[in-house]
Amino acid sequence: MILFGILKSTLVASTSPWRLLARNYKVTVVGAGGGIGQPLSLLIRQNAGIRELALHDINEIKGIATDLSHISMPGRVTSFVGESELEAAVSGANVVVVAAGKPRLPGMEREQLMAANGVVAAKVASAVSVACPGTLLAFITNPINMIVPTAAEILKANGVFDPRRLFGITTLDVVRAKKFIGTAMGKDPRHVDITVIGGHAGTTILPLISTCKPKYVDEDKQIEKMVHRIQEAGTEVVEAKAGSGSATLSMAFAGAQFVDALLRGIRGHEGVVECAFVASELTEAPFFASNVELGQYGVKRYLDMPQLSEMEMEALAKLLPILRKSAEEGIEFARKYLKELEETVPTALPKAQ
Ligand code: LMR
């Protein structure tokens, strides 16, 4: 019996057929009590492969964890509160997904959230560096175009940065593109396949309409309108919510889809391809959203840039300097954060009396 147990765990760790069956993963949701965090946790809870779903928030979330723990799915739900429990929350996690932070209000651009949300990225990346440097770390928190470079810089400063393991979740841009194009073509959106590249703010979101399957054919003006709708869809929700926040439910749908893809990659499924904002050498922007194949250690392969139409090439040329600037600002934020931390933390302990 003991021998069988040892043999089974060795097989689970080493060969993919066993890994496909294993319920052995820990996923941590940071910001689990918020507008995105709650539905996201609910959707992740439906994944049968999870051993532990750890919920973290700055506010009490014991009730939410207890609630989710009653769902008839395998695995347990744990809760962690406050900064002091962040490292414990992420410790041992295979995936950490971050939805914490402030949402946009009408009239705001995502970049304006950096002052409030940059520190979230810095703190989570610091906790991951100490407690779980091998995890796959995925951010929903805006502004993604700056938050991911900030987190990368913190991980670098701590000597644990692995570009394959850090993600900005841009799945909602793909979800929206599929829905809007599907509706325009009278097709089931689930059967629309489209790549969205660039970043996650305004004109940096570049849906590659020319790659759409089935083919989306329309006059240039109509295509421009479609691109604009996808780029401004987040603002459409912010305005419709009229001051009570931004997309939460569709974002949770997209976030859960991405987490599921990460877990399928970890489990050894083949051909798991998702669009994500990652450290990249595909263009001159150091961080860029494109299709990546996911595997056991995060990004397994960066897919080549598809053939772009003339219109798309022009849009790409315009968005790259914006992404470069956002990355610089994100990195600068991290450096300032680290410097301030250094100045406030005493370098040596006071001598014992
Ligand atoms: C979205 O795209 O809905 C999110 O990034 C939230 C926002 O501020 O638009």
Side-chain angles (χ1 to χ4, degrees):
M1 198 63 188
I2 293 172
L3 195 65
F4 177 72
I6 296 170
L7 186 66
K8 190 178 153 219
S9 48
T10 311
L11 284 169
V12 165
S14 61
T15 62
S16 68
W18 280 97
R19 219 172 42 230
L20 298 180
L21 296 172
R23 293 205 175 96
N24 203 21
Y25 303 106
K26 173 174 172 179
V27 175
T28 301
V29 179
V30 179
I36 298 171
Q38 287 199 41
L40 175 64
S41 303
L42 172 62
L43 293 169
I44 293 174
R45 180 81 178 108
Q46 293 177 51
N47 191 317
I50 295 172
R51 158 179 57 88
E52 179 181 352
L53 173 60
L55 310 182
H56 179 276
D57 206 286
I58 47 167
N59 299 312
E60 186 53 71
I61 43 161
K62 203 165 144 217
I64 296 168
T66 305
D67 195 356
L68 285 173
S69 75
H70 290 183
I71 291 174
S72 51
M73 290 300 287
R76 64 193 184 116
V77 183
T78 52
S79 66
F80 300 85
V81 180
E83 236 181 283
S84 62
E85 294 189 7
L86 187 54
E87 284 178 20
V90 299
S91 175
N94 301 87
V95 174
V96 174
V97 56
V98 188
K102 295 244 175 306
R104 271 200 290 165
L105 297 174
M108 276 174 89
E109 296 299 327
R110 288 181 183 82
E111 290 72 20
Q112 289 171 264
L113 294 172
M114 192 58 188
N117 293 349
V119 75
V120 172
K123 285 187 175 163
V124 177
S126 302
V128 160
S129 305
V130 174
C132 196
T135 196
L136 304 187
L137 175 58
F139 282 93
I140 287 175
T141 307
N142 267 319
I144 285 292
N145 295 357
M146 294 180 188
I147 288 285
V148 175
T150 299
E153 194 62 18
I154 301 281
L155 294 168
K156 268 183 205 165
N158 291 323
V160 295
F161 177 59
D162 178 348
R164 298 171 305 164
R165 297 178 193 262
L166 176 66
F167 305 88
I169 301 184
T170 56
T171 317
L172 183 53
D173 300 319
V174 179
V175 165
R176 286 167 168 156
K178 284 160 78 96
K179 175 65 182 164
F180 301 161
I181 292 172
T183 304
M185 291 201 292
K187 301 260 185 244
D188 182 335
R190 291 170 300 174
H191 303 145
V192 175
D193 181 20
I194 177 151
T195 300
V196 183
I197 62 168
H200 181 67
T203 54
T204 68
I205 301 168
L206 181 55
L208 300 179
I209 305 279
S210 68
T211 68
C212 186
K213 286 192 196 109
K215 209 162 180 44
Y216 177 59
V217 191
D218 214 332
E219 290 165 17
D220 280 2
K221 262 251 143 347
Q222 291 310 313
I223 291 181
E224 267 172 39
K225 258 189 164 165
M226 177 60 79
V227 168
H228 185 73
R229 168 119 200 258
I230 296 163
Q231 290 174 332
E232 291 304 319
T235 307
E236 191 179 316
V237 180
V238 169
E239 278 164 11
K241 291 201 175 181
S244 66
S246 53
T248 51
L249 304 174
S250 51
M251 185 57 98
F253 174 88
Q257 192 175 303
F258 189 72
V259 168
D260 183 62
L262 289 178
L263 290 173
R264 279 185 288 126
I266 293 174
R267 270 187 215 125
H269 286 242
E270 289 298 325
V272 182
V273 172
E274 286 288 327
C275 203
F277 188 71
V278 292
S280 160
E281 290 178 357
L282 213 56
T283 68
E284 65 207 50
F287 295 86
F288 189 78
S290 66
N291 274 334
V292 289
E293 186 178 349
L294 299 167
Q296 208 179 337
Y297 308 105
V299 177
K300 187 157 99 179
R301 184 167 66 96
Y302 298 81
L303 271 66
D304 289 339
M305 186 80 88
Q307 182 79 42
L308 308 190
S309 70
E310 214 168 289
M311 218 191 225
E312 289 160 355
M313 279 196 300
E314 273 172 33
L316 178 63
K318 282 189 192 146
L319 72 83
L320 288 176
I322 304 175
L323 284 184
R324 279 215 311 269
K325 187 163 174 278
S326 294
E328 276 161 23
E329 284 174 27
I331 291 166
E332 192 46 44
F333 184 97
R335 289 186 180 155
K336 242 171 117 185
Y337 173 87
L338 289 167
K339 191 157 179 274
E340 278 167 22
L341 203 67
E342 221 176 77
E343 283 164 7
T344 51
V345 175
T347 45
L349 288 173
K351 282 207 176 86
Q353 295 289 313

